[in-house]
Amino acid sequence: MIGVSILGSTGSIGQSTLDVLARHPERYRVVALTAQSQWQRLLAQCIALRPEIAVLSDPEAARLLATALREASVSTEVLAGEQALTTAAIAPGADVVMAAIVGAAGLLPTLSAARAGRRVLLANKEALVMSGRLLLEAVRESGAELLPIDSEHNAIFQCLPEGAAGVRRSGVAGIWLTASGGPFLRRPAASFASVTPEEACAHPRWSMGRKISVDSATLLNKGLELIEAHLLFGLPSNAVEVVIHPESIVHSLVSYVDGSTLAQLGNPDMRTPIAHALAWPERIESGVKSLDLLSLGALHFEAPDRARFPCLRLAEVAAHADGTAATVLNAANEVAVQAFLDRRLNFDRIPAVIEQVLSRLPSTPVRDLEQVLSVDLEARRLAGEEVIDRGIRA
Ligand code: NAD
Ligand code: MG
């Protein structure tokens, strides 16, 4: 039995992971589950799966969970606080760790799982983007495995016969990173100021958590993914090209020097990359139907509009800087997106907040964790100031 720890089990990726695991009870057992504060959902998961550990970073929610589990005679140990997320990440018997916490909060547990030499399934792209080479170095030093869950990166991984490490030797010329374009692909920029959180979170192809949904609407998600691809596959940032593909059927492509281009296709459902990374190099059933080409119709591709979606351009500049600019970009974006979701910032002001913070904190090479955490903190502080300055336009 392969032991699995799921960081962020109550979220969109966490629940899709549990759906795949439930199809293979003879192969996987759940060792640890974590969430921020959704204790009722975590309670239901604990009753069904009986993990050894359950963590809630919110102490009050953890107390409620512990009481409810006792009443249900479930012996799962409940831990509270941020530090306990790391305990779950390196729990004994957790061979595989699904890193599916959203945002910078996932960095330390993900890094710990990598240092402990586990198979890390990386959904939490922010952890990699903000820490740059640090996570990759931890993986290399411990002999851990880092497998991408992001559908695009999982697709690229599948199109690289030698896996990520062999990329240079295998004659790769470049990568096409596909993007659906999000809910506002055809919406005029003049109306971006009045975008509501509900509109931004209504993605046409994917059902996801709120933060990544907003990122998809600004195209900053594709920018984070550009940096993620550059780091994971060891390619220069100019070898990764973003292409809009509204149908979200082709999940990304790899071009080779001989003129070949390989693509991975599938219905837009995260259970496919999750099952792929869980079982790699084997294949297991995920619950996702194979494509029916006869009913699929046409697939379209077009260039992204960087004038209407300046976040993509900002991320490209940060990717090119190849240092703490990515940490700053990520932190400023997290603050801006939260302010937008809380209705304290207009949607069209998100790029301006990020751009201002980037201009105030020049990029330096990534050195160590202490530096990354202090840059992250400073970028959050400056972004908070920008949010107050820019606020809501009447
Ligand atoms: P979500 O909001 O649905 O779930 C987030 C999970 O993290 C929840 O379990 C929540 O309790 C936990 N969490 C949030 N903040 C926390 C904190 N401060 N401390 C501890 N736990 C915390 O998000 P999601 O859509 O599942 O996305 C998770 C990650 O996967 C993100 O990094 C996202 O970019 C990435 N991702 C998601 C999708 C998708 O389809 N949902 C696709 C690709 C990548
Ligand atoms: Mg993606």
Side-chain angles (χ1 to χ4, degrees):
M1 291 285 266
I2 299 168
V4 183
S5 171
I6 305 176
L7 311 176
S9 67
T10 57
S12 163
I13 293 288
Q15 294 182 81
S16 293
T17 305
L18 289 173
D19 183 282
V20 174
L21 294 178
R23 293 164 195 277
H24 306 280
E26 71 306 330
R27 189 178 170 118
Y28 300 103
R29 80 188 168 93
V30 174
V31 173
L33 297 173
T34 85
Q36 183 172 30
S37 56
Q38 283 180 301
W39 69 271
Q40 280 118 327
R41 190 170 277 175
L42 192 56
L43 172 67
Q45 294 177 349
C46 288
I47 290 173
L49 297 160
R50 314 268 163 157
E52 275 136 49
I53 308 176
V55 175
L56 282 160
S57 42
D58 177 61
E60 176 56 18
R63 206 183 53 73
L64 292 167
L65 176 67
T67 306
L69 282 173
R70 245 192 330 273
E71 279 165 11
S73 304
V74 175
S75 64
T76 298
E77 182 186 1
V78 178
L79 302 173
E82 270 173 37
Q83 186 57 37
L85 296 170
T86 293
T87 310
I90 58 170
D95 308 294
V96 175
V97 179
M98 168 54 82
I101 290 173
V102 59
L107 174 62
L108 295 182
T110 304
L111 197 56
S112 304
R115 285 178 178 152
R118 309 298 162 92
R119 171 175 289 198
V120 180
L121 310 188
L122 185 73
N124 181 202
K125 66 192 89 185
E126 297 93 344
L128 176 63
V129 168
M130 74 182 284
S131 69
R133 297 187 153 61
L134 299 183
L135 183 59
L136 301 176
E137 276 164 23
V139 167
R140 239 189 331 269
E141 280 165 18
S142 70
E145 291 173 304
L146 188 66
L147 300 182
I149 294 299
D150 223 341
S151 55
E152 297 77 3
H153 306 73
N154 184 271
I156 293 161
F157 185 78
Q158 292 195 47
C159 295
L160 295 171
E162 297 163 63
V167 83
R168 283 179 204 285
R169 289 190 304 279
S170 54
V172 170
I175 284 171
W176 291 100
L177 196 63
T178 56
S180 70
F184 308 137
L185 180 59
R186 310 280 175 229
R187 182 165 170 155
S191 72
F192 278 4
S194 63
V195 165
T196 64
E198 291 71 28
E199 288 172 321
C201 290
H203 197 281
R205 299 282 167 205
W206 300 93
S207 154
M208 311 181 285
R210 282 161 69 79
K211 192 264 178 180
I212 184 177
S213 295
V214 177
D215 287 350
S216 300
T218 61
L219 287 201
L220 196 274
N221 180 52
K222 211 46 58 180
L224 296 176
E225 292 184 357
L226 185 87
I227 299 170
E228 183 185 10
H230 157 62
L231 288 162
L232 279 178
F233 304 115
L235 288 169
S237 54
N238 59 10
V240 184
E241 186 83 44
V242 173
V243 59
I244 301 289
H245 166 47
E247 292 84 8
S248 294
I249 294 293
V250 178
H251 297 302
S252 278
L253 314 89
V254 178
S255 298
Y256 289 86
V257 289
D258 62 3
S260 295
T261 298
L262 301 190
Q264 187 260 348
L265 286 71
N267 286 310
D269 188 320
M270 291 306 292
R271 291 176 299 174
T272 296
I274 290 167
H276 172 264
L278 271 170
W280 183 82
E282 291 173 36
R283 296 266 181 181
I284 56 172
E285 204 259 316
S286 70
V288 182
K289 284 207 181 74
S290 295
L291 281 182
D292 174 9
L293 292 183
L294 297 178
S295 64
L296 197 57
L299 300 178
H300 298 86
F301 300 92
E302 64 189 63
D305 182 346
R306 288 173 179 77
R308 269 190 318 130
F309 298 100
C311 282
L312 182 57
R313 181 179 48 76
L314 293 172
E316 284 167 340
V317 173
H320 194 68
D322 191 21
T324 55
T327 319
V328 172
L329 176 91
N330 178 66
N333 178 58
E334 285 192 28
V335 171
V337 169
Q338 192 57 54
F340 165 67
L341 287 172
D342 296 343
R343 299 174 206 272
R344 291 181 283 115
L345 186 74
N346 276 340
F347 181 80
D348 64 332
R349 302 294 180 93
I350 294 174
V353 169
I354 300 169
E355 185 160 29
Q356 276 304 313
V357 180
L358 277 170
S359 75
R360 289 170 70 181
L361 288 176
S363 192
T364 56
V366 170
R367 256 187 350 256
D368 53 36
L369 186 60
E370 202 186 356
Q371 170 214 21
V372 162
L373 295 177
S374 94
V375 169
D376 174 78
L377 205 65
E378 180 62 1
R380 280 168 201 276
R381 192 183 67 74
L382 295 177
E385 287 178 12
E386 292 295 336
V387 166
I388 291 167
D389 283 355
R390 284 164 200 278
I392 291 279
R393 189 165 50 206

